[in-house]
Amino acid sequence: MTGIHPNNQPPELANYNVYASDPALRRAVRRAGAQWREAELIRQGAEYGAQATLRLAEDADQYPPELHTHSPSGERIDFVKFHPAWHEIMKIARHNGLTNLPYTDKRPSAWVAYGASVYMHIQIEAGTSCPTTMTKASIAVLQRNPALFDSIWPKLADTVHDPRDMALAGKRSMTVGMGMTEKQGGSDLRTNETRAAPAGSGPWGEEFLINGHKWFFSAPMCDAHLVLARTPERGLSCFYVPRWRPDGGKNPIHIQRLKDKVGNRSNASSEVEFHDAWGVLVGEQGRGIPTLVEMATHTRLDIALASAGLMRRAFAQALHHARNRYAFGKALADQPLMREVLGDMALESEAAMLLAMDLAARFGSTDALDMAWQRLLTPVAKFWNTRRSVALAAEAMEVFGGNGYVETGPMGRLYREAPVNSIWEGSGNVMCLDVLRAVARSPEDVQRVLGHLLDVAADEPVLRLQIEQLRARLLQPAPDVERDARRLTQKLALCAQAGLMLQHAGPAAAAAFIGSRFDPDWGTVFGVGAGATDSAALLRDAWDAAAMGAH
């Protein structure tokens, strides 16, 4: 990761092992009992860090999808054409288990193995994570219709990407998306107007014809979507709506346009209209929102992992640049103030990874503490990691100077990718309100989680004080608690991260994290009181230089 370039321009960070060079990630995988997956993760790490894969990711972003609404003969086809690089990255994602691993491998530790793959994949290409995470998240929901699920499970479980646009019966594998929000309501799903009229029953249960629209319909080329629509008698319900009907005809889901997004350009996000689109009920009528919220819980885990991955990639790029760029007689990374900034970024990146990977480990457990942690910390991790990834990406871009602000470098795409994760699957305010709802529904979860953190912090008076204050505030009814939701969620995130750093990071890193994050002067500016007496040691611990190029 170091070497003097003749023109003092750092070489591209390429042909390295994304997994082997990340000591904290490796420890998280082993700690959760997922050693059985390590050889495969090392292979994936080499694949993701290979220059050829990096070029594919660049092409997928540079050549965005194109919408073709009609065939040359005037037939409605609603076809989205992707660059071949997109499908190559989708092949990698599918083969690496991003669409199904926690369900095809029943070991609880498969959730951590899956989390490691998501964390690495997002570092290289973010757009393909949209259809893959939705496909994985749909599996738990689709099981609510056993006849349907039994029919399509082999295609969900397959590990080969099948890009063909055709009836599902002729395909090897499938992807599944989600259609929830409408233009008049957004996050307020109760205002949805899309209607579902009964159309009899078939081998998969109650059938309906759906009419209406979706304002955001990501990955419209998925083979099916789980759609929220209103039935005449019971209200909002969840429906499986395939791109092609079981009879082989194209379902009348009309793509109106593709969104021109700030980032996430490789992925197609669209507006659609349903014109008597065929669908089958999944779950109970009238329980559509709770059914799809279960799917969203799984996608929120993936977003927390993804944001942590973006942070790791931004930090790795900044560290690589600073070690290979010389100014005022020595490498940037050896300049005292730059070392403070990079050391602070290393702390932030590791804490984000621990929060997300620890959460993934608890998804595979039925332990009471793990389940309480999952209910309470899923929206917390989604809220906090997405916010911090934006700040860290901006700081990393600044490390590059002017080179960071040009599209030929690596930082522009990372910077554009970061904000979308805080918006998709629930904005920051929605996440903070979900935390308050979780507290109101299960105060015992708060006692269990914070009691555990107090045990972890037995010898850390600063952290114990923060946890005690948080517990008193969360469990004391107050008329203005909703106004304070962001402050409470932030403090819960920091207390959880501090506890995880105490348990799993090095002593210096844990002390630096606690010493800085609960300092009144700590804020959004990286490098202000990182709390470390030796920032260079944090950087050595954050990157395994011996793993450069390790396959």
Side-chain angles (χ1 to χ4, degrees):
M1 200 177 185
T2 59
I4 302 176
H5 190 277
N7 297 318
N8 197 24
Q9 292 289 332
E12 178 187 16
L13 177 57
N15 294 322
Y16 73 105
N17 194 301
V18 178
Y19 181 77
S21 61
D22 192 336
L25 177 63
R26 298 201 314 264
R27 290 194 298 269
V29 168
R30 295 166 186 166
R31 188 167 55 246
Q35 299 94 325
W36 53 271
R37 186 70 169 177
E38 191 147 35
E40 168 61 15
L41 291 173
I42 291 172
R43 183 202 66 78
Q44 291 181 18
E47 180 178 44
Y48 284 126
Q51 192 171 56
T53 308
L54 300 179
R55 294 292 85 78
L56 288 172
E58 289 177 2
D59 286 347
D61 183 74
Q62 186 175 354
Y63 303 102
E66 302 172 352
L67 172 61
H68 299 267
T69 58
H70 293 80
S71 72
S73 59
E75 296 173 299
R76 188 91 200 198
I77 57 174
D78 299 286
F79 179 77
V80 179
K81 181 180 179 181
F82 290 88
H83 189 272
W86 163 273
H87 290 296
E88 290 300 315
I89 297 289
M90 283 291 290
K91 286 180 184 178
I92 292 172
R94 189 102 197 186
H95 181 257
N96 289 351
L98 269 68
T99 57
N100 52 33
L101 179 62
Y103 294 96
T104 56
D105 192 306
K106 298 299 183 181
R107 284 172 282 195
S109 57
W111 281 96
V112 166
Y114 165 81
S117 294
V118 171
Y119 178 80
M120 291 192 291
H121 186 95
I122 200 76
Q123 294 183 44
I124 308 307
E125 207 292 305
T128 45
S129 68
C130 180
T132 57
T133 189
M134 289 193 297
T135 300
K136 184 271 300 182
S138 74
I139 292 174
V141 172
L142 287 166
Q143 293 180 60
R144 293 171 178 263
N145 184 325
L148 168 65
F149 182 75
D150 289 347
S151 175
I152 64 176
W153 169 241
K155 301 179 192 299
L156 290 167
D158 203 282
T159 56
V160 174
H161 172 58
D162 187 343
R164 294 175 294 171
D165 183 28
M166 60 187 296
L168 192 58
K171 296 191 64 172
R172 176 169 177 172
S173 64
M174 68 180 298
T175 53
V176 181
M178 186 193 310
M180 296 177 69
T181 60
E182 299 179 7
K183 62 171 67 77
Q184 74 282 350
S187 297
D188 187 2
L189 300 176
R190 295 169 299 178
T191 67
N192 278 15
E193 298 174 350
T194 296
R195 303 284 172 173
S201 61
W204 293 344
E206 298 177 71
E207 299 177 353
F208 291 78
L209 295 179
I210 298 171
N211 288 276
H213 83 281
K214 296 298 169 186
W215 185 240
F216 274 96
F217 198 72
S218 281
M221 288 303 291
C222 283
D223 296 286
H225 284 76
L226 292 174
V227 171
L228 196 61
R230 192 178 296 277
T231 62
E233 295 181 357
R234 303 292 296 277
L236 290 170
S237 305
C238 175
F239 298 92
Y240 169 86
V241 182
R243 178 167 168 79
W244 294 85
R245 298 189 307 266
D247 64 9
K250 184 188 173 297
N251 219 3
I253 306 166
H254 295 173
I255 304 174
Q256 300 302 100
R257 63 172 175 169
L258 300 185
K259 300 286 191 180
D260 186 7
K261 295 172 293 183
V262 172
N264 205 250
R265 293 177 178 175
S266 68
N267 174 45
S269 300
S270 65
E271 299 169 24
V272 301
E273 290 183 356
F274 305 104
H275 296 272
D276 276 347
W278 180 91
V280 63
L281 183 69
V282 175
E284 298 179 38
Q285 279 197 52
R287 297 285 297 168
I289 292 178
T291 299
L292 284 175
V293 164
E294 179 182 353
M295 182 174 174
T297 297
H298 289 267
T299 57
R300 288 169 181 175
L301 165 66
D302 292 354
I303 288 172
L305 289 162
S307 292
L310 287 174
M311 292 165 76
R312 173 66 183 184
R313 178 68 171 172
F315 164 69
Q317 290 284 1
L319 181 60
H320 175 73
H321 179 87
R323 284 179 168 171
N324 291 278
R325 176 77 168 178
Y326 290 78
F328 310 108
K330 54 185 174 182
L332 283 177
D334 294 329
Q335 304 285 356
L337 187 54
M338 179 61 77
R339 200 161 52 219
E340 285 295 306
V341 173
L342 292 170
D344 204 7
M345 291 167 67
L347 286 178
E348 194 70 30
S349 176
E350 181 172 2
M353 184 278 295
L354 287 176
L355 184 61
M357 288 291 285
D358 180 81
L359 182 60
R362 296 175 193 273
F363 265 68
S365 172
T366 56
D367 173 79
L369 172 61
D370 292 340
M371 295 177 72
W373 189 283
Q374 177 185 330
R375 287 189 290 266
L376 191 59
L377 269 296
T378 297
V380 171
K382 199 269 192 188
F383 170 80
W384 189 243
N385 279 5
T386 58
R387 277 198 157 41
R388 297 302 291 160
S389 68
V390 176
L392 194 143
E395 195 70 51
M397 177 181 283
E398 186 175 328
V399 171
F400 280 71
N403 286 345
Y405 205 64
V406 296
E407 290 290 357
T408 51
M411 293 310 304
R413 179 156 55 94
L414 284 174
Y415 184 71
R416 291 194 309 273
E417 290 291 355
V420 71
N421 286 329
S422 68
I423 299 169
W424 280 357
E425 306 300 349
S427 65
N429 282 352
V430 171
M431 293 302 97
C432 294
L433 293 174
D434 278 355
V435 171
L436 295 186
R437 280 189 282 269
V439 170
R441 282 195 303 266
S442 302
E444 62 274 14
D445 283 352
V446 179
Q447 295 282 20
R448 189 171 280 120
V449 168
L450 296 187
H452 166 71
L453 289 175
L454 283 170
D455 291 340
V456 170
D459 299 322
E460 290 290 339
V462 171
L463 179 55
R464 285 187 63 86
L465 176 62
Q466 296 293 325
I467 297 169
E468 291 283 14
Q469 291 175 344
L470 178 61
R471 180 164 64 176
R473 182 70 172 127
L474 284 174
L475 296 178
Q476 180 179 352
D480 62 343
V481 68
E482 183 173 317
R483 293 170 51 193
D484 210 23
R486 284 191 172 221
R487 184 188 302 274
L488 294 171
T489 302
Q490 171 178 296
K491 181 165 280 194
L492 183 51
L494 289 173
C495 287
Q497 286 184 318
L500 293 168
M501 292 289 281
L502 271 177
Q503 291 176 284
H504 307 310
F513 188 88
I514 294 170
S516 59
R517 270 48 181 177
F518 300 114
D519 187 313
D521 289 335
W522 183 79
T524 58
V525 178
F526 283 91
V528 175
T533 56
D534 185 0
S535 295
L538 297 179
L539 301 181
R540 289 193 297 271
D541 292 342
W543 183 275
D544 189 346
M548 279 296 293
H551 288 222

